[in-house]
């Protein structure tokens, strides 16, 4: 474990923003992390860098979590319990599950990032959230260096949310995540419109988890930019939840507004639709812009700074407030 000086973080964040870490260290085990915590308390954690917008150089010690390993804890006829260390690549883990016929994560194929950050924002796509399969999260308490277990309820999961984005923020480092997956009688989630269409186009009537994973991969590839080609951080904003009365007023003006009822009084509306209606989709602003196929995704065309992307986000936020009276919330972490 060597602390390096003045390291560019361009290859450590999927937006591809070129900021510098004064000091940088890669940690490959819980033991190394605990050793580090004996002398260093002011850390800046960087895992897959897939949900962060960096706007300035970092003076704290940047810790790149690269703890690898997958272990099977136990299994019975129907289920398997697996613990995965934080540094494992998310999509590779999902593909491995699919290849072993372990069900539950197939709808979450091709999401960038590492396993350790999946519980933090409770990653979700195509009708599934990772909270549905997590049994436990193990994390190191920064103050004491001790390993602490969070049961699923104690993680306080919500839509793109968890305890790690709230009261536990900055206090813990996730070291591993445990999952309960199915070995047979898989609970297939195919109702999300685009999945049904994709399966139908291939004439698949009784899909396997591999079929669903393949469908999700195809859909994501058709809509979302590959961070290796165009820097981005997936959805930049959360989909806002508004009151039913607010929604009904908007629906009068925009009869085609997509909507997902959350409760009797609350409706979720897609931020991508609001942004597209406001004319931003596919528009370029200097070095950055709004993706041409999914307006919820801001992109770096190569040399954007974090500030440029943040300024674009603010412009979008203001326009959405003016046009729809909705306050968009940024989903990625801005530093
Ligand atoms: N829409 C538009 N224009 C756009 C984008 C979307 O009109 O440019 C409309 C679509 O027509 C559709 C609705 O918005 O009616 C929803 O679109 P989509 O299915 O693409 O999903 P989303 O709500 O925009 C969310 C997640 C994505 C996830 C997809 C699929 C959030 C913030 N984003 O996007 O997650 O992949 O659903 O489940 O909830 C991410 O978090 O980084 C991410 C990519």
């Amino acid at each position: 474990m060597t602390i390096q000086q003045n390291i560019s973080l361009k290859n450590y964040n999927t937006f591809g923003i070129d900021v510098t870490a004064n000091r940088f260290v890669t940690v490959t085990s819980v033991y190394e992390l605990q050793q580090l915590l004996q002398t260093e308390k002011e850390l800046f954690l960087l895992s897959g860098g897939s949900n962060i917008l960096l706007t300035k150089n970092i003076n704290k010690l940047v810790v790149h979590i690269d703890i690898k390993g997958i272990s099977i804890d136990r299994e019975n006829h129907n289920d398997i319990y697996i613990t995965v260390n934080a540094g494992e690549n998310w999509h590779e883990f999902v593909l491995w599950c699919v290849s072993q016929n372990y069900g539950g994560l197939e709808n979450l194929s091709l999401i960038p990032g590492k396993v350790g950050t999946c519980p933090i924002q409770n990653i979700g796509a195509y009708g599934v959230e990772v909270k549905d399969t997590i049994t436990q999260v193990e994390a190191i308490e920064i103050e004491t260096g001790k390993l602490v277990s969070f049961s699923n309820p104690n993680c306080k999961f919500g839509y793109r949310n968890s305890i790690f984005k709230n009261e536990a923020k900055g206090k813990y480092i996730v070291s591993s995540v445990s999952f309960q997956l199915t070995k047979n009688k898989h609970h297939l989630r195919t109702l999300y419109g685009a999945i049904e269409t994709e399966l139908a186009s291939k004439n698949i009537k009784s899909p396997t988890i591999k079929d669903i994973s393949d469908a999700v991969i195809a859909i994501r590839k058709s809509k979302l930019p590959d961070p290796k080609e165009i820097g981005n951080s997936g959805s930049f904003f959360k989909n806002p939840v508004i009151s039913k009365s607010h929604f009904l007023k908007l629906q009068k003006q925009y009869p085609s507004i997509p909507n997902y009822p959350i409760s009797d009084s609350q409706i979720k509306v897609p931020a991508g639709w609001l942004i597209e209606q406001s004319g931003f989709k596919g528009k370029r602003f200097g070095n950055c812009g709004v993706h041409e196929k999914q307006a919820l995704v801001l992109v770096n065309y190569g040399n954007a700074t974090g500030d440029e992307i943040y300024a674009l986000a603010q412009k979008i936020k203001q326009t959405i407030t003016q046009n729809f009276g909705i306050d968009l919330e940024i989903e990625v972490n801005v530093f």
Side-chain angles (χ1 to χ4, degrees), residues 87 100 173 238 266 301 317:
Q100 303 295 309
I173 303 169
K238 284 188 187 183
Q266 289 190 307
Y301 286 110
K317 256 172 85 74

Side-chain angles (χ1 to χ4, degrees), residues 124-126 159-160 192 220 223-224 234-235 237-239 258 260 270 272-273 276 281 294-296:
Y126 306 105
Y159 165 60
R160 294 292 189 279
Y192 202 93
R220 289 188 76 97
K223 276 194 178 180
L224 297 166
S235 302
F237 300 97
K238 284 188 187 183
N239 284 331
Y260 312 99
W273 185 89
E276 178 171 352
K281 193 169 180 172
Q294 166 52 292
L296 196 45

Side-chain angles (χ1 to χ4, degrees), residues 28-69:
T28 57
S29 69
V30 167
Y31 177 74
E32 275 187 356
L33 198 46
Q34 286 171 325
Q35 292 291 105
L36 193 71
L37 286 172
Q38 288 184 1
T39 50
E40 304 273 352
K41 296 285 176 208
E42 288 289 297
L43 307 178
F44 186 96
L45 298 169
L46 199 56
S47 174
S50 59
N51 200 40
I52 193 164
L53 177 66
L54 296 168
T55 64
K56 48 184 180 286
N57 293 335
I58 301 175
N59 295 321
K60 292 179 186 173
L61 173 63
V62 173
V63 182
H64 179 228
I65 307 290
D66 202 22
I67 309 172
K68 292 273 169 56

Side-chain angles (χ1 to χ4, degrees), residues 51 120-122 129 157-162 165-166 233-242 268-275 296-297 316-317 320 326-333:
N51 200 40
I120 297 176
Q121 55 151 324
N122 179 24
E129 289 182 326
F157 289 121
Y159 165 60
R160 294 292 189 279
N161 209 356
S162 75
K165 280 182 113 175
N166 295 288
S233 203
S235 302
F236 197 88
F237 300 97
K238 284 188 187 183
N239 284 331
V241 175
I242 59 175
K268 193 187 264 185
V269 292
W273 185 89
L274 300 169
I275 298 169
L296 196 45
V297 178
I316 292 171
K317 256 172 85 74
I320 300 301
I326 294 176
D327 188 18
L328 283 187
E329 191 186 334
I330 292 180
E331 203 277 307
V332 306
N333 298 300

Side-chain angles (χ1 to χ4, degrees), residues 9 18 24 36 45 54 122 125-126 167 174 205 256 285 292:
L9 297 181
D18 193 7
F24 179 94
L36 193 71
L45 298 169
L54 296 168
N122 179 24
Y126 306 105
E167 58 262 43
V174 173
K205 296 207 172 75
S256 66
F285 299 83
E292 57 185 358

